[in-house]
Amino acid sequence: MSELVSTRIRTTAGKLGLPHLVETINEYIRRADEAKMGYLDFLDLVLSEELAVRDDRRFRQGQRLSKLPHHKTLDEYDFSFQPDLDPRKVKDLATLSFVEAKANAALLGPPGVGKTHIAVAVAVAACRAGYSIYFTSLDDMVRNLKTAEAAGRLLNRLGTYLRPSVLVVDEVGYQPLERAEANLVFQVISKRYEKGSIILTSDKTFSEWGQVFGDEVLATAILDRLLHHCDVISVNGPSYRLKNRLKAIERETEVA
């Protein structure tokens, strides 16, 4: 392919908003020449590469906006340390069928067992699949909603938690809520009901949520909407954080 044609392609790609193609067209041409590609194969190569670049760019942008605390995958999760946890149940979440159905997922268990790791890993998978994600602890969400309500901007702030396809609510029950705070949570849950998915983590059993939300009736109303379409996974094994701390202590002892 002549340099003149290559230049025309780069110019046209720039006008079409394809910056990656502008930078890489000569490399594609080289690969096509080496493989003696036909026109259709060459076109398929260019379009496939451009789509992959766009998907990666969208994924990185989605991750940035999601407020996820870290990037985790299920491959990094040590299922052998939680023998009572069925890996198939967790990996079923990663198929994202519950997200497609606008259903929910709840991860319950004591502190340190990897609930947040699983929640983040599933959220990352959803982001990779093109779903919008937002991560928050329950306390941060309540704090932000209270501040917005006091400033007369509650409806606007609610949008932060209603717009994403998947809302991850971490550490439900870490601190008990006042009734007015629990009502703000109810607004989020009820407005997302059958319109978007929630992934939550909690070290409290559902029977304890009346204490968490300061009102048995309100807690029941929240659970009624949350659990109507919900995969519940209990993680009741030992603490990863304690395991890692014990290893660190052992290393320090050996050095001493």
Side-chain angles (χ1 to χ4, degrees), residues 36-203:
K36 295 182 171 54
M37 289 184 185
Y39 297 123
L40 291 179
D41 288 336
F42 177 69
L43 182 60
D44 181 59
L45 168 67
V46 171
L47 294 179
S48 297
E49 292 283 350
E50 190 64 33
L51 179 61
V53 168
R54 286 194 170 194
D55 283 345
D56 185 64
R57 187 184 305 127
R58 175 199 49 74
F59 171 65
R60 286 186 280 110
Q61 175 73 353
Q63 270 206 305
R64 185 181 67 81
L65 297 174
S66 71
K67 306 298 183 183
L68 288 169
H70 40 64
H71 181 109
K72 293 288 187 180
T73 67
L74 291 182
D75 289 338
E76 299 172 274
Y77 189 85
D78 186 3
F79 286 98
S80 66
F81 194 68
Q82 303 292 355
D84 292 336
L85 175 61
D86 187 347
R88 291 172 299 181
K89 291 184 177 180
V90 176
K91 292 175 181 178
D92 280 347
L93 292 182
T95 66
L96 307 177
S97 58
F98 79 100
V99 177
E100 185 177 349
K102 296 180 173 58
N104 306 313
L107 300 160
L108 308 181
V113 295
K115 301 185 300 297
T116 300
H117 181 141
I118 295 172
V120 168
V122 174
V124 168
C127 185
R128 178 72 72 182
Y131 293 102
S132 54
I133 311 296
Y134 194 81
F135 178 96
T136 180
S137 69
L138 182 68
D139 290 343
D140 283 346
M141 183 175 77
V142 168
R143 188 182 307 111
N144 289 332
L145 290 175
K146 284 177 66 178
T147 300
E149 186 176 42
R153 298 195 301 269
L154 179 59
L155 287 179
N156 182 60
R157 190 61 179 177
L158 276 170
T160 301
Y161 307 107
L162 299 180
R163 282 191 297 269
S165 300
V166 180
L167 175 66
V168 183
V169 183
D170 198 30
E171 297 181 332
V172 174
Y174 185 72
Q175 291 183 338
L177 303 180
E178 298 176 357
R179 195 181 191 287
E181 295 172 332
N183 186 61
L184 292 172
V185 177
F186 173 75
Q187 290 190 55
V188 173
I189 301 296
S190 62
K191 290 179 186 297
R192 287 190 64 89
Y193 176 60
E194 295 187 331
K195 295 179 181 178
S197 295
I198 294 174
I199 303 173
L200 68 84
T201 73
S202 179
D203 60 3

